[in-house]
Amino acid sequence: MKTKERRQKILELLDNNLPQKGTDLAAALGVSRQVIVQDIAVLRAAGVNILATPQGYLLPGRENLCRRTFACRHDLAGLEQELLLMVDYGGKVIDVIVEHPLYGEIRGYLMLSSRYEVRKFVTDLKASNARPLYTLTGNGVHLHTVEASRQELLDTIEDRLARAGFLLK
């Protein structure tokens, strides 16, 4: 398979709205993971919006979903509770965004839509000894972009975040 054909096939494999691990793409196309990483970089440079999430590569969905950004603050103990609250009420946590004094906006894609994914994320975070992005701000303030099928679900999530003391007003 030629390079151009392989990159087209990558786009076809990513077009199912499910994250695809680089190793899975490599196996499906008979190349190394490094080749996939390079192909993804070239596709991005050509203007294709490919997200790299903890679950794998993803093309942003084309569904007609509602989105809202929530400004939040909590400590490490509140991280899992905050994320579970969002997915329990029908949300998909797209990202976390912080404002860094030197670099400006820093965004990490999460793509969490279930309790299982939240718990796996928290477990992986602890195992990596990494610190959550909100710790870069000094005051714990961060934003989450959340998608849901209806505005009412986002209203409920906003209400629950406020009740839990996570939402900044």
Side-chain angles (χ1 to χ4, degrees):
M1 181 180 297
K2 295 187 186 224
T3 303
K4 188 174 181 178
E5 294 167 345
R6 187 180 59 246
R7 290 179 182 153
Q8 184 58 42
K9 186 68 175 167
I10 288 171
L11 292 176
E12 290 170 16
L13 291 169
L14 293 177
D15 200 29
N16 65 6
N17 285 332
L18 296 174
Q20 301 287 321
K21 295 272 187 196
T23 52
D24 295 339
L25 290 170
L29 299 172
V31 295
S32 70
R33 185 181 174 285
Q34 187 57 36
V35 169
I36 297 298
V37 170
Q38 291 172 0
D39 284 345
I40 296 290
V42 170
L43 288 166
R44 284 177 166 164
V48 179
N49 187 15
I50 300 174
L51 304 179
T53 74
Q55 295 83 21
Y57 294 110
L58 180 69
L59 288 174
R62 293 166 185 84
E63 315 92 37
N64 191 15
L65 296 173
C66 304
R67 268 189 177 210
R68 191 173 301 172
T69 301
F70 299 105
C72 300
R73 180 177 23 210
H74 54 74
D75 57 13
L76 187 57
L79 182 129
E80 183 174 11
Q81 183 184 355
E82 172 204 48
L83 294 172
L84 286 172
L85 188 148
M86 292 184 213
V87 300
D88 283 350
Y89 288 96
K92 178 177 184 177
V93 185
I94 303 301
D95 58 22
V96 58
I97 305 164
V98 296
E99 185 70 29
H100 189 274
L102 179 61
Y103 297 110
E105 183 179 282
I106 299 174
R107 179 184 311 254
Y109 288 99
L110 300 175
M111 302 307 208
L112 305 171
S113 59
S114 69
R115 291 179 78 79
Y116 170 80
E117 291 172 348
V118 168
R119 291 210 167 107
K120 182 170 180 353
F121 173 77
V122 172
T123 299
D124 292 348
L125 177 68
K126 290 176 183 174
S128 72
N129 291 319
R131 295 175 36 199
L133 280 182
Y134 73 79
T135 62
L136 296 176
T137 66
N139 60 8
V141 173
H142 58 284
L143 305 174
H144 284 293
T145 307
V146 179
E147 285 183 345
S149 60
R150 301 183 322 272
Q151 285 294 338
E152 297 82 26
L153 296 173
L154 294 172
D155 293 341
T156 300
I157 291 168
E158 184 170 349
D159 177 64
R160 300 302 174 173
L161 286 170
R163 287 185 193 197
F166 298 139
L167 191 65
L168 292 178
K169 287 285 185 176

PDB file of all heavy atoms in Angstrom, residues 130-152:
ATOM      1  N   ALA A 130       1.688  11.614  37.431  1.00  0.00           N
ATOM      2  CA  ALA A 130       1.522  12.930  36.810  1.00  0.00           C
ATOM      3  C   ALA A 130       0.540  13.745  37.647  1.00  0.00           C
ATOM      4  O   ALA A 130      -0.266  13.195  38.404  1.00  0.00           O
ATOM      5  CB  ALA A 130       0.994  12.781  35.391  1.00  0.00           C
ATOM      6  N   ARG A 131       0.605  15.031  37.481  1.00  0.00           N
ATOM      7  CA  ARG A 131      -0.329  15.908  38.180  1.00  0.00           C
ATOM      8  C   ARG A 131      -1.384  16.391  37.199  1.00  0.00           C
ATOM      9  O   ARG A 131      -1.082  16.625  36.027  1.00  0.00           O
ATOM     10  CB  ARG A 131       0.425  17.087  38.778  1.00  0.00           C
ATOM     11  CG  ARG A 131       1.395  16.610  39.870  1.00  0.00           C
ATOM     12  CD  ARG A 131       2.280  17.695  40.432  1.00  0.00           C
ATOM     13  NE  ARG A 131       1.626  18.977  40.542  1.00  0.00           N
ATOM     14  CZ  ARG A 131       2.272  20.115  40.656  1.00  0.00           C
ATOM     15  NH1 ARG A 131       3.576  20.140  40.650  1.00  0.00           N
ATOM     16  NH2 ARG A 131       1.627  21.245  40.749  1.00  0.00           N
ATOM     17  N   PRO A 132      -2.611  16.550  37.653  1.00  0.00           N
ATOM     18  CA  PRO A 132      -3.670  17.058  36.764  1.00  0.00           C
ATOM     19  C   PRO A 132      -3.317  18.455  36.242  1.00  0.00           C
ATOM     20  O   PRO A 132      -2.614  19.215  36.913  1.00  0.00           O
ATOM     21  CB  PRO A 132      -4.902  17.120  37.673  1.00  0.00           C
ATOM     22  CG  PRO A 132      -4.589  16.266  38.836  1.00  0.00           C
ATOM     23  CD  PRO A 132      -3.107  16.277  39.000  1.00  0.00           C
ATOM     24  N   LEU A 133      -3.818  18.782  35.055  1.00  0.00           N
ATOM     25  CA  LEU A 133      -3.515  20.083  34.453  1.00  0.00           C
ATOM     26  C   LEU A 133      -3.918  21.250  35.353  1.00  0.00           C
ATOM     27  O   LEU A 133      -3.237  22.275  35.370  1.00  0.00           O
ATOM     28  CB  LEU A 133      -4.205  20.217  33.091  1.00  0.00           C
ATOM     29  CG  LEU A 133      -3.537  19.542  31.910  1.00  0.00           C
ATOM     30  CD1 LEU A 133      -4.322  19.807  30.631  1.00  0.00           C
ATOM     31  CD2 LEU A 133      -2.096  19.979  31.746  1.00  0.00           C
ATOM     32  N   TYR A 134      -5.005  21.122  36.112  1.00  0.00           N
ATOM     33  CA  TYR A 134      -5.460  22.257  36.914  1.00  0.00           C
ATOM     34  C   TYR A 134      -4.419  22.691  37.940  1.00  0.00           C
ATOM     35  O   TYR A 134      -4.441  23.818  38.416  1.00  0.00           O
ATOM     36  CB  TYR A 134      -6.822  21.981  37.571  1.00  0.00           C
ATOM     37  CG  TYR A 134      -6.790  21.011  38.710  1.00  0.00           C
ATOM     38  CD1 TYR A 134      -6.364  21.391  39.969  1.00  0.00           C
ATOM     39  CD2 TYR A 134      -7.189  19.702  38.528  1.00  0.00           C
ATOM     40  CE1 TYR A 134      -6.328  20.483  41.013  1.00  0.00           C
ATOM     41  CE2 TYR A 134      -7.163  18.795  39.554  1.00  0.00           C
ATOM     42  CZ  TYR A 134      -6.716  19.193  40.801  1.00  0.00           C
ATOM     43  OH  TYR A 134      -6.676  18.300  41.839  1.00  0.00           O
ATOM     44  N   THR A 135      -3.468  21.819  38.276  1.00  0.00           N
ATOM     45  CA  THR A 135      -2.440  22.203  39.248  1.00  0.00           C
ATOM     46  C   THR A 135      -1.486  23.245  38.676  1.00  0.00           C
ATOM     47  O   THR A 135      -0.773  23.904  39.427  1.00  0.00           O
ATOM     48  CB  THR A 135      -1.644  20.973  39.730  1.00  0.00           C
ATOM     49  OG1 THR A 135      -0.975  20.368  38.622  1.00  0.00           O
ATOM     50  CG2 THR A 135      -2.554  19.958  40.407  1.00  0.00           C
ATOM     51  N   LEU A 136      -1.469  23.421  37.358  1.00  0.00           N
ATOM     52  CA  LEU A 136      -0.601  24.420  36.733  1.00  0.00           C
ATOM     53  C   LEU A 136      -1.078  25.847  36.982  1.00  0.00           C
ATOM     54  O   LEU A 136      -0.306  26.785  36.813  1.00  0.00           O
ATOM     55  CB  LEU A 136      -0.518  24.186  35.218  1.00  0.00           C
ATOM     56  CG  LEU A 136       0.117  22.888  34.749  1.00  0.00           C
ATOM     57  CD1 LEU A 136       0.021  22.773  33.230  1.00  0.00           C
ATOM     58  CD2 LEU A 136       1.569  22.808  35.196  1.00  0.00           C
ATOM     59  N   THR A 137      -2.342  26.000  37.352  1.00  0.00           N
ATOM     60  CA  THR A 137      -2.888  27.349  37.492  1.00  0.00           C
ATOM     61  C   THR A 137      -2.593  27.978  38.847  1.00  0.00           C
ATOM     62  O   THR A 137      -2.734  29.177  39.004  1.00  0.00           O
ATOM     63  CB  THR A 137      -4.420  27.353  37.294  1.00  0.00           C
ATOM     64  OG1 THR A 137      -5.025  26.614  38.359  1.00  0.00           O
ATOM     65  CG2 THR A 137      -4.790  26.754  35.944  1.00  0.00           C
ATOM     66  N   GLY A 138      -2.230  27.173  39.816  1.00  0.00           N
ATOM     67  CA  GLY A 138      -1.959  27.691  41.150  1.00  0.00           C
ATOM     68  C   GLY A 138      -3.203  27.826  42.007  1.00  0.00           C
ATOM     69  O   GLY A 138      -3.139  27.746  43.221  1.00  0.00           O
ATOM     70  N   ASN A 139      -4.356  28.001  41.386  1.00  0.00           N
ATOM     71  CA  ASN A 139      -5.594  28.146  42.146  1.00  0.00           C
ATOM     72  C   ASN A 139      -6.608  27.049  41.821  1.00  0.00           C
ATOM     73  O   ASN A 139      -7.729  27.073  42.314  1.00  0.00           O
ATOM     74  CB  ASN A 139      -6.215  29.526  41.917  1.00  0.00           C
ATOM     75  CG  ASN A 139      -6.549  29.785  40.457  1.00  0.00           C
ATOM     76  OD1 ASN A 139      -6.467  28.892  39.620  1.00  0.00           O
ATOM     77  ND2 ASN A 139      -6.935  31.014  40.164  1.00  0.00           N
ATOM     78  N   GLY A 140      -6.225  26.106  40.970  1.00  0.00           N
ATOM     79  CA  GLY A 140      -7.099  24.975  40.651  1.00  0.00           C
ATOM     80  C   GLY A 140      -8.199  25.260  39.647  1.00  0.00           C
ATOM     81  O   GLY A 140      -8.982  24.376  39.320  1.00  0.00           O
ATOM     82  N   VAL A 141      -8.263  26.471  39.126  1.00  0.00           N
ATOM     83  CA  VAL A 141      -9.323  26.824  38.181  1.00  0.00           C
ATOM     84  C   VAL A 141      -9.024  26.166  36.827  1.00  0.00           C
ATOM     85  O   VAL A 141      -7.898  26.195  36.341  1.00  0.00           O
ATOM     86  CB  VAL A 141      -9.443  28.348  38.019  1.00  0.00           C
ATOM     87  CG1 VAL A 141     -10.424  28.708  36.920  1.00  0.00           C
ATOM     88  CG2 VAL A 141      -9.866  28.984  39.336  1.00  0.00           C
ATOM     89  N   HIS A 142     -10.055  25.566  36.259  1.00  0.00           N
ATOM     90  CA  HIS A 142      -9.930  24.922  34.951  1.00  0.00           C
ATOM     91  C   HIS A 142     -11.299  24.895  34.290  1.00  0.00           C
ATOM     92  O   HIS A 142     -12.318  25.116  34.928  1.00  0.00           O
ATOM     93  CB  HIS A 142      -9.366  23.499  35.085  1.00  0.00           C
ATOM     94  CG  HIS A 142     -10.195  22.610  35.954  1.00  0.00           C
ATOM     95  ND1 HIS A 142     -10.187  22.700  37.331  1.00  0.00           N
ATOM     96  CD2 HIS A 142     -11.059  21.612  35.652  1.00  0.00           C
ATOM     97  CE1 HIS A 142     -11.013  21.791  37.830  1.00  0.00           C
ATOM     98  NE2 HIS A 142     -11.564  21.124  36.825  1.00  0.00           N
ATOM     99  N   LEU A 143     -11.305  24.632  32.993  1.00  0.00           N
ATOM    100  CA  LEU A 143     -12.540  24.547  32.219  1.00  0.00           C
ATOM    101  C   LEU A 143     -12.706  23.132  31.693  1.00  0.00           C
ATOM    102  O   LEU A 143     -11.726  22.453  31.403  1.00  0.00           O
ATOM    103  CB  LEU A 143     -12.494  25.503  31.022  1.00  0.00           C
ATOM    104  CG  LEU A 143     -12.208  26.973  31.300  1.00  0.00           C
ATOM    105  CD1 LEU A 143     -12.052  27.732  29.992  1.00  0.00           C
ATOM    106  CD2 LEU A 143     -13.300  27.581  32.152  1.00  0.00           C
ATOM    107  N   HIS A 144     -13.954  22.713  31.565  1.00  0.00           N
ATOM    108  CA  HIS A 144     -14.282  21.456  30.905  1.00  0.00           C
ATOM    109  C   HIS A 144     -15.300  21.738  29.811  1.00  0.00           C
ATOM    110  O   HIS A 144     -16.301  22.407  30.056  1.00  0.00           O
ATOM    111  CB  HIS A 144     -14.924  20.442  31.871  1.00  0.00           C
ATOM    112  CG  HIS A 144     -13.953  19.794  32.793  1.00  0.00           C
ATOM    113  ND1 HIS A 144     -12.971  18.930  32.363  1.00  0.00           N
ATOM    114  CD2 HIS A 144     -13.823  19.881  34.134  1.00  0.00           C
ATOM    115  CE1 HIS A 144     -12.283  18.499  33.406  1.00  0.00           C
ATOM    116  NE2 HIS A 144     -12.769  19.073  34.482  1.00  0.00           N
ATOM    117  N   THR A 145     -15.049  21.235  28.623  1.00  0.00           N
ATOM    118  CA  THR A 145     -16.045  21.247  27.559  1.00  0.00           C
ATOM    119  C   THR A 145     -16.803  19.933  27.676  1.00  0.00           C
ATOM    120  O   THR A 145     -16.193  18.869  27.729  1.00  0.00           O
ATOM    121  CB  THR A 145     -15.392  21.347  26.173  1.00  0.00           C
ATOM    122  OG1 THR A 145     -14.503  22.466  26.158  1.00  0.00           O
ATOM    123  CG2 THR A 145     -16.444  21.487  25.085  1.00  0.00           C
ATOM    124  N   VAL A 146     -18.131  20.025  27.741  1.00  0.00           N
ATOM    125  CA  VAL A 146     -18.970  18.843  27.908  1.00  0.00           C
ATOM    126  C   VAL A 146     -20.019  18.826  26.807  1.00  0.00           C
ATOM    127  O   VAL A 146     -20.619  19.854  26.499  1.00  0.00           O
ATOM    128  CB  VAL A 146     -19.650  18.836  29.302  1.00  0.00           C
ATOM    129  CG1 VAL A 146     -20.542  17.612  29.470  1.00  0.00           C
ATOM    130  CG2 VAL A 146     -18.614  18.896  30.416  1.00  0.00           C
ATOM    131  N   GLU A 147     -20.220  17.652  26.211  1.00  0.00           N
ATOM    132  CA  GLU A 147     -21.261  17.450  25.205  1.00  0.00           C
ATOM    133  C   GLU A 147     -22.368  16.588  25.793  1.00  0.00           C
ATOM    134  O   GLU A 147     -22.118  15.734  26.636  1.00  0.00           O
ATOM    135  CB  GLU A 147     -20.710  16.700  23.986  1.00  0.00           C
ATOM    136  CG  GLU A 147     -19.857  17.497  23.082  1.00  0.00           C
ATOM    137  CD  GLU A 147     -19.403  16.698  21.864  1.00  0.00           C
ATOM    138  OE1 GLU A 147     -19.515  15.443  21.843  1.00  0.00           O
ATOM    139  OE2 GLU A 147     -18.919  17.336  20.937  1.00  0.00           O
ATOM    140  N   ALA A 148     -23.580  16.820  25.303  1.00  0.00           N
ATOM    141  CA  ALA A 148     -24.727  15.994  25.676  1.00  0.00           C
ATOM    142  C   ALA A 148     -25.739  16.037  24.536  1.00  0.00           C
ATOM    143  O   ALA A 148     -25.686  16.922  23.676  1.00  0.00           O
ATOM    144  CB  ALA A 148     -25.366  16.492  26.974  1.00  0.00           C
ATOM    145  N   SER A 149     -26.647  15.109  24.561  1.00  0.00           N
ATOM    146  CA  SER A 149     -27.634  15.032  23.481  1.00  0.00           C
ATOM    147  C   SER A 149     -28.701  16.121  23.575  1.00  0.00           C
ATOM    148  O   SER A 149     -29.332  16.453  22.581  1.00  0.00           O
ATOM    149  CB  SER A 149     -28.290  13.652  23.464  1.00  0.00           C
ATOM    150  OG  SER A 149     -28.935  13.407  24.701  1.00  0.00           O
ATOM    151  N   ARG A 150     -28.889  16.678  24.793  1.00  0.00           N
ATOM    152  CA  ARG A 150     -29.919  17.709  24.985  1.00  0.00           C
ATOM    153  C   ARG A 150     -29.418  18.783  25.953  1.00  0.00           C
ATOM    154  O   ARG A 150     -28.656  18.497  26.872  1.00  0.00           O
ATOM    155  CB  ARG A 150     -31.195  17.088  25.558  1.00  0.00           C
ATOM    156  CG  ARG A 150     -31.818  16.005  24.713  1.00  0.00           C
ATOM    157  CD  ARG A 150     -33.139  15.456  25.292  1.00  0.00           C
ATOM    158  NE  ARG A 150     -33.213  15.313  26.722  1.00  0.00           N
ATOM    159  CZ  ARG A 150     -32.830  14.220  27.408  1.00  0.00           C
ATOM    160  NH1 ARG A 150     -32.319  13.185  26.789  1.00  0.00           N
ATOM    161  NH2 ARG A 150     -32.975  14.164  28.715  1.00  0.00           N
ATOM    162  N   GLN A 151     -29.918  20.005  25.775  1.00  0.00           N
ATOM    163  CA  GLN A 151     -29.561  21.107  26.669  1.00  0.00           C
ATOM    164  C   GLN A 151     -29.963  20.817  28.117  1.00  0.00           C
ATOM    165  O   GLN A 151     -29.277  21.218  29.038  1.00  0.00           O
ATOM    166  CB  GLN A 151     -30.236  22.410  26.203  1.00  0.00           C
ATOM    167  CG  GLN A 151     -29.611  23.038  25.004  1.00  0.00           C
ATOM    168  CD  GLN A 151     -28.194  23.550  25.242  1.00  0.00           C
ATOM    169  OE1 GLN A 151     -27.760  23.817  26.346  1.00  0.00           O
ATOM    170  NE2 GLN A 151     -27.459  23.659  24.155  1.00  0.00           N
ATOM    171  N   GLU A 152     -31.080  20.106  28.296  1.00  0.00           N
ATOM    172  CA  GLU A 152     -31.555  19.808  29.649  1.00  0.00           C
ATOM    173  C   GLU A 152     -30.520  19.012  30.440  1.00  0.00           C
ATOM    174  O   GLU A 152     -30.382  19.194  31.649  1.00  0.00           O
ATOM    175  CB  GLU A 152     -32.878  19.027  29.617  1.00  0.00           C
ATOM    176  CG  GLU A 152     -34.033  19.761  28.988  1.00  0.00           C
ATOM    177  CD  GLU A 152     -34.041  19.688  27.464  1.00  0.00           C
ATOM    178  OE1 GLU A 152     -33.503  18.728  26.873  1.00  0.00           O
ATOM    179  OE2 GLU A 152     -34.594  20.614  26.856  1.00  0.00           O
TER     180      GLU A 152
END
